[in-house]
Amino acid sequence: MKGTFPIDKFERVQTPFYYYDTKLLRKTLQAINAEISKHEGFVVHYAIKANANAKLLRIIQEAGLGADCVSGGEIETAVKSGFHSSKIVFAGVGKSDWEINLGLDHDIFCFNVESIPELEVINLLAKQRNVIARVAFRLNPNVGAHTHANITTGLAENKFGIAMRDMMTVMLHAQQLTNVKVVGLHFHIGSQILDMGDFEALCNRVNELQTILLNHRICLEHINVGGGLGIDYEHPNRVPIPDFKAYFDTYAKKLKLQPQQTLHFELGRAVVAQCGSLITKTLYVKEGSTKRFAIVDAGFTDLIRPALYQAYHKIENIMSNEPMEPYDVVGPICESTDVFAKQIDLNHTQRGDLLAIRSAGAYGEIMASQYNCRKLPQGYTSDEFIS
Ligand SMILES: *Cc1c(COP(=O)(O)O)cnc(C)c1O
C-alpha cells in the first residue's frame, strides 16, 4: 500500500482501469451538504456528464443531490440510478423529440430551454400528451470565465443559451403558449473555474436580469446558476475537497434571491474529479535520444483530457520509492497527441510498475472511446477491493 491505493489487490484486475475512492466521494458530498444547509433554498444537482458510473451515481443520489442531464440517455441513467424525476433538470442546445418526450413522460423538474424553436417543440409535444412542461430559459450572460477557451460557455460567441437582450421576448412568447410554464432562469458559464470573481460576475448579471423581470412583474420560482467550480489538479493529496464554502458563500452574498425563490446549482467536476484515478501499467521504459519515455497501457481512449485540452494531471508511480527522474508518460495509441505528461518527475520506473493518473474522476471514464479497437476501461470502487 502506497498512499491510499490498495496496490496488492490491484493485481486482480486488468489495467488500465479507473479506481474510485468512495470514502473521499462521501466526504465531498458531506461537505456540499454541510455548506448548502447554511443557506435557505439552495439545491444541488449533480451533472451526470462528468461521470455516469452506476456505483458513483448511487452514492450521489443517496446523498440527496438531484441530477442535471444533457441527453435522453442521461435521463434514463439518472432514473435507473434512483434519482427522483422531480429532481432532474434537462439542458442542451439540441434536444431531439424522443428526448423531450422522455422528459415529459418522466415529468422531470425542468427543461432548460436554449432557443425559441426548442420552446415551440416542447410546447407542441407537451400538448400532444396533454401535459404542461416546466421550463427555464438558459440565458447567455456574456460572462467570461478564467479557464481554458474550450470549456468556457457563457460568452456571447458560444453556441449556448439565449441572448440576454431577447429575454423579455422569449418570456412574452412563452406566455402565449398553452403547454409550457416558465419556472426559472438558467445559466452556466464554463468549467474548472477557481476564481470566485467569475461567479460574482454571474451573480451581478443575474441581479440585473431579475430587476428587468421584476419591472415586468415577473418573479420566477428558481434561478439555476449551473456548475463550473474547479478542483486543484496540482495537489490532489493536499486539496482533495474543493472550497465549497467560498463557492456557496459567494452566491449567498452576491445573488439577490427573491422571497421563496430557490437557487439551483449543477456541479459535476467538483463532486467526482478528485475521487478517481486512472491506474495504468508501465509496459516499457524507452531511452530516447533526448528523453526517457514511460510507455503505459492507458491511452487517450481512456482519458482524453490531456490530448483534448492540454489538461494537467498529476501522475505518481505507486509502486516505486526509488529516486525521482524525469519522464514523458505516453500511451500506445498511434497519434502524437497520446501523451499524458512531458518532463515530469516520477520515482525510478520499470516495466510492470503501476502509475496513478490522479484527479481523473470527472470527464475521464465517461469520455472513453474505442479508437484503435481498444477495450473500454472498467471502473472499480474502493469498496470492491476490500476483503
Ligand atoms: C457540464 C455542465 C455542468 C457541469 O459542469 P462542471 O464544470 O463539471 O461543474 C453544469 N451544467 C451544465 C448545463 C453543463 O453543461
Side-chain angles (χ1 to χ4, degrees):
M1 172 87 95
K2 181 177 168 188
T4 56
F5 296 103
I7 38 178
D8 47 322
K9 309 238 169 68
F10 281 176
E11 288 158 21
R12 297 184 205 160
V13 292
Q14 180 70 49
T15 52
F17 64 91
Y18 278 90
Y19 172 77
Y20 298 111
D21 178 349
T22 54
K23 212 163 117 189
L24 177 56
L25 175 60
R26 287 195 170 88
K27 270 191 176 165
T28 306
L29 291 162
Q30 278 163 16
I32 292 171
N33 281 331
E35 288 307 324
I36 61 171
S37 69
K38 297 176 191 166
H39 307 290
E40 186 86 32
F42 280 27
V43 182
V44 176
H45 303 259
Y46 166 64
I48 294 207
K49 77 173 191 283
N51 190 322
N53 182 295
K55 296 158 215 163
L56 303 193
L57 289 183
R58 188 53 72 171
I59 294 171
I60 294 165
Q61 178 267 322
E62 283 168 4
L65 274 67
D68 165 37
C69 300
V70 292
S71 73
E74 286 193 357
I75 294 175
E76 284 169 344
T77 302
V79 170
K80 222 180 287 164
S81 297
F83 288 93
H84 197 272
S85 52
S86 64
K87 289 184 171 183
I88 293 177
V89 295
F90 181 20
V93 284
K95 301 178 188 75
S96 53
D97 292 15
W98 76 266
E99 294 177 309
I100 293 169
N101 281 328
L102 186 73
L104 291 171
D105 289 344
H106 282 291
D107 193 21
I108 60 168
F109 172 66
C110 188
F111 291 84
N112 291 330
V113 172
E114 306 215 11
S115 66
I116 287 197
E118 180 194 335
L119 180 71
E120 285 176 344
V121 170
I122 292 175
N123 182 61
L124 188 74
L125 296 175
K127 192 177 268 174
Q128 285 170 5
R129 285 173 149 63
N130 203 21
V131 295
I132 307 282
R134 280 177 297 275
V135 302
F137 286 116
R138 176 171 181 173
L139 297 182
N140 186 323
N142 197 19
V143 167
H146 295 92
T147 184
H148 191 280
N150 290 6
I151 51 176
T152 184
T153 55
L155 282 175
E157 67 196 56
N158 299 129
K159 68 177 175 182
F160 300 101
I162 296 166
M164 283 178 291
R165 60 161 193 274
D166 297 335
M167 179 177 71
M168 283 317 302
T169 312
V170 294
M171 285 287 168
L172 298 174
H173 190 88
Q175 285 175 0
Q176 311 299 314
L177 302 175
T178 51
N179 291 70
V180 292
K181 181 180 183 213
V182 182
V183 295
L185 283 187
H186 176 235
F187 306 85
H188 176 65
I189 58 171
S191 201
Q192 183 54 19
I193 298 167
L194 290 165
D195 182 345
M196 295 303 127
D198 293 341
F199 297 121
E200 207 176 308
L202 174 61
C203 291
N204 294 338
R205 187 68 83 197
V206 174
N207 294 341
E208 288 167 27
L209 294 167
Q210 286 241 77
T211 305
I212 298 172
L213 288 177
L214 290 173
N215 287 340
H216 286 84
R217 299 180 194 289
I218 298 175
C219 184
L220 300 170
E221 292 168 17
H222 78 263
I223 301 292
N224 181 336
V225 288
L229 177 63
I231 63 134
D232 192 337
Y233 280 97
E234 314 265 334
H235 307 106
N237 297 323
R238 190 145 41 87
V239 192
I241 298 179
D243 192 350
F244 293 115
K245 179 172 168 40
Y247 176 71
F248 290 114
D249 283 356
T250 299
Y251 282 100
K253 278 202 203 93
K254 302 291 173 182
L255 198 140
K256 295 194 197 100
L257 280 185
Q258 299 304 311
Q260 315 298 321
Q261 218 169 34
T262 54
L263 183 58
H264 294 243
F265 301 85
E266 303 166 336
L267 293 174
R269 188 189 310 273
V271 180
V272 290
Q274 294 291 33
C275 78
S277 295
L278 176 61
I279 307 296
T280 181
K281 190 174 273 178
T282 309
L283 298 174
Y284 306 103
V285 175
K286 177 161 105 171
E287 300 288 344
S289 55
T290 56
K291 289 178 156 209
R292 184 182 297 121
F293 296 98
I295 301 168
V296 298
D297 63 0
F300 72 47
T301 52
D302 306 293
L303 175 65
I304 200 173
R305 299 188 68 257
L308 191 60
Y309 20 72
Q310 295 80 50
Y312 171 83
H313 286 267
K314 186 179 172 68
I315 303 178
E316 296 170 334
N317 182 329
I318 55 175
M319 291 172 72
S320 167
N321 284 314
E322 289 172 58
M324 293 288 208
E325 300 168 344
Y327 291 88
D328 280 17
V329 180
V330 303
I333 296 162
C334 305
E335 299 277 345
S336 300
T337 52
D338 191 28
V339 174
F340 288 112
K342 287 184 176 169
Q343 285 297 110
I344 57 151
D345 285 330
L346 291 177
N347 293 100
H348 173 76
T349 297
Q350 48 189 344
R351 174 174 164 81
D353 284 356
L354 294 177
L355 307 187
I357 304 179
R358 304 290 307 275
S359 314
Y363 307 106
E365 183 182 357
I366 193 70
M367 286 181 119
S369 75
Q370 292 194 296
Y371 180 51
N372 283 191
C373 293
R374 285 168 58 80
K375 296 211 168 20
L376 290 175
Q378 297 297 301
Y380 301 97
T381 63
S382 44
D383 307 329
E384 292 169 82
F385 290 102
I386 298 169
S387 77

